[in-house]
Amino acid sequence: TSNANPPMPEVPFWVFGPSLHQSGPSRVVPFDLSAEIQLDYQATNPNLLASFVRIVEGEQLDTGVGMAATSQAFYVIRGSGVSQTRAGTVEWGEGDMFVLPYLGDEDAAV
């Protein structure tokens, strides 16, 4: 169907270097290529928005999404922490990958 395989321009090769996450305040940095792939919403490709998430030690960051998403996948480059969801608590550390399923409209705290 067109939803599973939408017509689209080629997704460009793009490098998002470590300077985006190595320093600065806690934040979510989206890899937004929407202009390059002619979309009217933030996206890395038509069905994915990848981002760096930087959390300063001792701080908390809401990582909920403003649009429909079936899940959020996280890979931990360095550090450790805890994510709170309505489904429970996930403890994570360097090298871990974890996925939080969509559980409604409340934000997850990572």
Side-chain angles (χ1 to χ4, degrees), residues 56-103:
V56 174
E57 186 174 349
E59 293 185 4
Q60 177 177 309
L61 184 66
D62 289 334
T63 59
V65 294
M67 63 181 137
T70 58
S71 62
Q72 292 178 293
F74 297 87
Y75 176 75
V76 182
I77 296 172
R78 64 180 170 276
S80 61
V82 176
S83 292
Q84 303 287 337
T85 74
R86 287 186 285 162
T89 300
V90 177
E91 293 185 27
W92 43 264
E94 184 174 328
D96 287 345
M97 178 163 181
F98 63 100
V99 177
L100 301 178
Y102 177 72
L103 296 170

Side-chain angles (χ1 to χ4, degrees), residues 32-53:
D32 184 17
L33 299 177
S34 56
E36 290 81 359
I37 57 177
Q38 303 168 9
L39 296 173
D40 61 358
Y41 55 89
Q42 284 189 322
T44 306
N45 71 44
N47 59 3
L48 172 76
L49 175 59
S51 303
F52 275 131
V53 177

Side-chain angles (χ1 to χ4, degrees), residues 14-37:
W14 209 273
V15 175
F16 296 94
S19 63
L20 290 175
H21 65 80
Q22 287 182 330
S23 63
S26 295
R27 65 195 181 281
V28 176
V29 181
F31 302 164
D32 184 17
L33 299 177
S34 56
E36 290 81 359
I37 57 177

